[in-house]
Amino acid sequence: SQLFTSRWVESKHKSDYGQWKLSAGNFYGDAEADKGIQTSQDAHFYALSALFEPFSNEGKPLVIQFTVKHEQKIDCGGGYVKLFPDDLDQSDMHGDSQYYIMFGPDICGYSTKKVHVIINYKGQNHLIKKDIKCKDDELTHLYTLIVNPDQTYEVKIDNEKVESGSFGDDWDMLPLKKIKDPEAKKPSDWDDRAEIDDPSDTKPEDWDKPETIPDPDAKKPDDWDEDMDGEWEPPMIANSEYKGEWKPKQIDNPDYKGTWVHPEIDNPEYTHDATMYKFNNIGVLGLDLWQVKSGTIFDNFLITDDVKEAEEFGKETWGKTKGPEKKMKNEQEDMERKLREEEEKEKNKEDTEGDDEDDKEDGEEEEGEDDEEPDDDAGIEEDNNGKPKDEL
């Protein structure tokens, strides 16, 4: 708890940022080991960051890893981290503070359930062009981003690779290698029509028929007054002989040359950059988020250059807690279900007893009425035919 308050700095850029608390949540594998930092207020922005010894990832892998648990059944909110240079003013960190990398899950409704991988290159943020699905259940999940010095990358969820590729292919950081030759133009005699009108095809002489004709079965009403109503005209109906616009049949074009392809040339503005992956003075890890429904727990943050170490650390933390955590959650759900069933049974029992009491009171009232008005035929009720019948 002391490390949490001493290590992490809350931004003062806004006066109403959401409050964080240290918690393992409602279900966990280990009550102490699974304590993480948790969002605690609905519909708030959050801004928290931690400083570490600055370094450069030049010539070696960069691994960003952490766990996220949306135990609140998150409806809309971020679960990602941002990696900043060490000169970030932590007390003024906000949504527009320039970062190096943004990585992690983002959920909003049914349409947005993705893992962000945003890379800052020459002051511009570039979103990955691939759609990476994130986990949307209530359990803890491990997110890992590996950036290699050969400018390839890998995204892992729960220590399993879910996406990989290269900076050049999956981000638009550099201009295109090839562009359309601005000097090239389609030749004026280039024929790209696959089919043409058959010149020997002619329209039949009886083709042209009107689209509508007067209804031959229509008759002028007997009370039609031409002086008052004007000249009577039969209503128009669709002409069954109308064939529409005539078009000659199509034949293969003997001069067809195919689709003209615009030739490409090397883009003079393209220059290969082998250092897109490299960041100097990496020194701050930040959580800069908006959440509608709070309760997300972040834990097990790791920034390293050792891919194997990250995998092992994931196994020692998330790997050990995932089984017991799920077991505890299932047990809680079973207990809640049983309590609901017991409450339902108790309610039904009370309703039934209430009905019995009502019936008993009704019966007593009927007996009282009989006592007040004695009758020779007491206890016997007659049906409509005057015949006695048993009381129900």
Side-chain angles (χ1 to χ4, degrees):
S1 178
Q2 187 178 357
L3 182 62
F4 163 54
T5 52
S6 63
R7 181 79 185 269
W8 293 86
V9 175
E10 293 191 57
S11 174
K12 305 299 180 192
H13 180 79
K14 288 162 66 88
S15 59
D16 58 348
Y17 279 125
Q19 294 299 302
W20 298 85
K21 65 179 183 179
L22 196 64
S23 173
N26 297 323
F27 47 88
Y28 40 78
D30 185 295
E32 282 303 314
D34 289 346
K35 280 184 178 176
I37 47 180
Q38 183 180 40
T39 57
S40 68
Q41 292 175 288
D42 292 350
H44 274 73
F45 287 98
Y46 290 86
L48 190 72
S49 64
L51 184 72
F52 50 84
E53 190 70 33
F55 70 96
S56 168
N57 65 321
E58 183 173 7
K60 54 193 174 184
L62 169 63
V63 185
I64 304 169
Q65 184 170 279
F66 61 104
T67 56
V68 183
K69 178 166 71 162
H70 294 308
E71 72 169 25
Q72 75 276 39
K73 295 183 180 176
I74 192 165
D75 48 359
C76 190
Y80 42 79
V81 300
K82 291 180 176 180
L83 203 59
F84 294 93
D86 68 333
D87 60 0
L88 173 76
D89 180 356
Q90 291 177 262
S91 65
D92 193 47
M93 183 188 78
H94 55 90
D96 292 327
S97 299
Q98 194 166 93
Y99 56 83
Y100 285 149
I101 295 175
M102 179 173 131
F103 168 64
D106 190 15
I107 294 173
C108 201
Y110 292 102
S111 57
T112 303
K113 292 181 180 181
K114 67 192 292 185
V115 178
H116 284 296
V117 189
I118 303 177
I119 308 291
N120 186 284
Y121 178 65
K122 294 186 175 178
Q124 295 292 318
N125 293 333
H126 296 270
L127 280 68
I128 193 168
K129 294 188 287 185
K130 289 179 174 173
D131 187 25
I132 308 172
K133 299 289 185 197
C134 68
K135 301 290 186 182
D136 62 353
D137 57 38
E138 299 150 58
L139 299 168
T140 299
H141 292 286
L142 180 72
Y143 287 85
T144 309
L145 172 65
I146 303 165
V147 174
N148 295 307
D150 64 357
Q151 313 215 104
T152 60
Y153 73 95
E154 187 174 313
V155 174
K156 293 161 72 174
I157 301 178
D158 297 343
N159 262 340
E160 296 286 335
K161 182 172 80 172
V162 294
E163 195 53 83
S164 62
S166 71
F167 277 34
D169 292 337
D170 295 345
W171 284 267
D172 288 327
M173 289 188 236
L174 298 176
L176 295 169
K177 286 184 181 181
K178 299 275 188 181
I179 58 169
K180 290 180 178 179
D181 184 355
E183 302 296 322
K185 289 183 175 61
K186 185 168 77 169
S188 57
D189 62 347
W190 188 279
D191 196 338
D192 53 12
R193 297 173 301 160
E195 293 183 327
I196 58 170
D197 295 346
D198 182 355
S200 66
D201 191 19
T202 56
K203 181 168 70 171
E205 290 180 6
D206 63 347
W207 183 274
D208 291 328
K209 302 285 184 183
E211 190 171 350
T212 58
I213 57 170
D215 184 354
D217 297 326
K219 292 178 181 177
K220 184 169 71 172
D222 293 337
D223 60 351
W224 187 273
D225 186 336
E226 291 200 357
D227 291 336
M228 295 289 290
D229 302 324
E231 184 182 352
W232 180 80
E233 292 180 355
M236 304 298 283
I237 60 170
N239 184 0
S240 60
E241 295 183 9
Y242 176 67
K243 299 176 183 177
E245 182 187 356
W246 181 82
K247 291 180 181 177
K249 67 181 180 182
Q250 300 291 289
I251 60 170
D252 291 339
N253 182 3
D255 298 323
Y256 177 59
K257 294 185 177 180
T259 303
W260 184 74
V261 179
H262 201 128
E264 292 186 331
I265 59 169
D266 290 337
N267 184 358
E269 294 182 14
Y270 173 81
T271 305
H272 178 65
D273 185 353
T275 64
M276 289 188 291
Y277 79 96
K278 181 171 74 74
F279 301 100
N280 294 319
N281 303 313
I282 302 167
V284 177
L285 182 73
L287 293 161
D288 171 39
L289 315 158
W290 161 261
Q291 290 202 334
V292 175
K293 194 188 288 185
S294 64
T296 300
I297 298 173
F298 297 86
D299 198 6
N300 304 307
F301 300 97
L302 179 68
I303 311 292
T304 181
D305 59 8
D306 190 330
V307 175
K308 192 68 182 168
E309 179 195 11
E311 189 174 329
E312 290 303 317
F313 183 70
K315 288 177 182 175
E316 287 299 309
T317 52
W318 167 82
K320 283 188 174 177
T321 201
K322 63 171 182 171
E325 176 189 81
K326 189 170 185 181
K327 183 171 181 283
M328 184 175 181
K329 182 176 184 295
N330 290 341
E331 286 171 351
Q332 286 180 359
E333 288 174 348
D334 287 344
M335 190 172 291
E336 286 168 8
R337 193 188 71 253
K338 285 174 183 173
L339 279 172
R340 282 196 306 271
E341 289 172 355
E342 288 298 322
E343 285 172 4
E344 193 67 30
K345 279 182 187 174
E346 195 63 34
K347 185 174 180 300
N348 291 338
K349 185 180 176 186
E350 287 173 4
D351 290 346
T352 305
E353 287 175 352
D355 291 342
D356 290 345
E357 282 295 320
D358 290 342
D359 291 345
K360 185 177 178 185
E361 287 172 11
D362 290 345
E364 287 172 354
E365 285 175 11
E366 286 174 9
E367 285 177 14
E369 288 170 6
D370 290 343
D371 292 341
E372 288 172 16
E373 296 181 23
D375 195 317
D376 292 341
D377 296 325
I380 299 177
E381 188 177 343
E382 293 184 353
D383 64 14
N384 293 337
N385 297 319
K387 294 176 182 175
K389 67 175 183 179
D390 293 336
E391 272 193 273
L392 296 176

